[in-house]
Amino acid sequence: MHIVVTNDDGVFEPGLLALARALRQIPGSTVSVVAPERDWSVSGHVKTLTRPLRAWPVQLEDGSEALATDGAPSDCVAMALLGLVPQPVDLVVSGINPNANVGHDITYSGTVTAAMEAVIFGVPAVAVSLEREGAPLGQLDFAPAAQVARRVAEYVLRRGLPEEILLNVNVPHRPLEALQGLRVTRLGRRVYRDALVRREDPWGRPYYWIGGGVPEGVAEPGTDIGALAEGAVSVTPIQMDMTAYGVLDDLQGGLEGLPGPWETGGAA
Ligand code: MN
């Protein structure tokens, strides 16, 4: 079983190493690491077509081999699945991100969009993030989340996933024995507190930050945010088909019935 591991934080980040090491423990597994040279957090789904992409071998902290690239996380996955690493690839796992990816976060997340790229290629994928519960970045223990990731990966390797589906896994930052089980969830509602922060440069010209602080969430039961609030692992199946099926009938009845500008010559 060949697993490709990537992340959006950079190839030398500890979450990636913890993940790769845990996945190597799966009997019969081979792990290839292909990850960005720098931090691409909150970069969304990227396909780099306007410049060349470079990839070069690096050594991770435990002495294992990896490939670093100057592409985005989704570029790393695309390159890997297009032949940068030996084929076939049975599974792509992205992480471990040091912040939760819940609710609308998944559309911003490099961690999750890397998994989306794999699913577009028809390869099952899992994204793994840590809800660090206020713990300082430098003091995170990724080992429990890595063991959770291993279990989920083993499940997917054994059972597969339906086409166009990835698993978005979020793990509370706790010792294994303090985790309150695993819940299969739907996406919850993030509450972003974004605020436009206006400053001036030395020449009096304004510049802006999207500031406001760390987002919160609505801890509804059954959601990813709800599971994390209970101290449980959250596993959300994510589908690439974003069609709003519940709206199709109504919109077809309304919009399709209107005379189009091709009938009225553009007149209202
Ligand atoms: Mn990140």
Side-chain angles (χ1 to χ4, degrees):
M1 288 293 185
H2 183 201
I3 305 171
V4 166
V5 170
T6 191
N7 75 349
D8 77 349
D9 305 305
V11 67
F12 296 114
E13 288 302 308
L16 177 131
L17 182 59
L19 180 61
R21 293 178 85 156
L23 296 177
R24 281 199 183 99
Q25 293 169 4
I26 298 175
S29 76
T30 313
V31 171
S32 299
V33 174
V34 184
E37 63 172 334
R38 66 162 175 95
D39 187 8
W40 284 80
S41 295
V42 205
S43 65
H45 201 159
V46 175
K47 181 171 274 184
T48 298
L49 299 176
T50 54
R51 63 174 174 88
L53 291 165
R54 310 276 177 185
W56 58 96
V58 294
Q59 213 170 49
L60 302 186
E61 208 177 288
D62 67 344
S64 61
E65 301 286 327
L67 285 171
T69 90
D70 61 357
S74 39
D75 290 323
C76 292
V77 171
M79 284 191 283
L81 299 180
L82 288 169
L84 190 65
V85 300
Q87 307 293 311
V89 173
D90 302 291
L91 175 67
V92 171
V93 187
S94 175
I96 297 171
N97 196 64
N99 288 296
N101 277 305
V102 293
H104 289 164
D105 294 346
I106 66 165
T107 61
Y108 299 104
S109 166
T111 309
V112 180
T113 52
M116 288 180 180
E117 187 69 14
V119 166
I120 289 173
F121 275 83
V123 175
V126 178
V128 187
S129 306
L130 197 63
E131 166 58 91
R132 67 183 150 105
E133 302 188 279
L137 261 184
Q139 293 168 31
L140 296 178
D141 180 7
F142 288 96
Q147 286 308 312
V148 171
R150 177 189 161 176
R151 287 301 174 88
V152 175
E154 283 175 324
Y155 178 87
V156 173
L157 287 170
R158 209 166 48 236
R159 304 279 297 268
L161 284 175
E163 263 179 54
E164 298 259 305
I165 304 287
L166 66 95
L167 297 182
N168 184 40
V169 179
N170 285 278
V171 184
H173 183 243
R174 297 176 177 201
L176 275 178
E177 58 277 12
L179 291 173
Q180 303 297 306
L182 181 152
R183 316 245 193 290
V184 175
T185 58
R186 59 191 161 86
L187 291 176
R189 273 180 300 149
R190 257 303 194 205
V191 181
Y192 298 104
R193 297 184 296 180
D194 293 349
L196 193 62
V197 179
R198 186 186 189 276
R199 302 260 165 83
E200 277 189 8
D201 73 14
W203 298 273
R205 292 174 305 199
Y207 65 92
Y208 301 91
W209 284 97
I210 296 174
V214 182
E216 290 171 357
V218 183
E220 246 179 302
T223 67
D224 47 9
I225 298 168
L228 292 175
E230 292 171 31
V233 174
S234 167
V235 178
T236 308
I238 302 292
Q239 57 188 3
M240 295 300 292
D241 181 352
M242 297 172 80
T243 309
Y245 286 96
V247 179
L248 269 184
D249 274 357
D250 192 48
L251 205 55
Q252 280 164 345
L255 204 49
E256 283 187 4
L258 294 176
W262 50 89
E263 290 168 86
T264 61

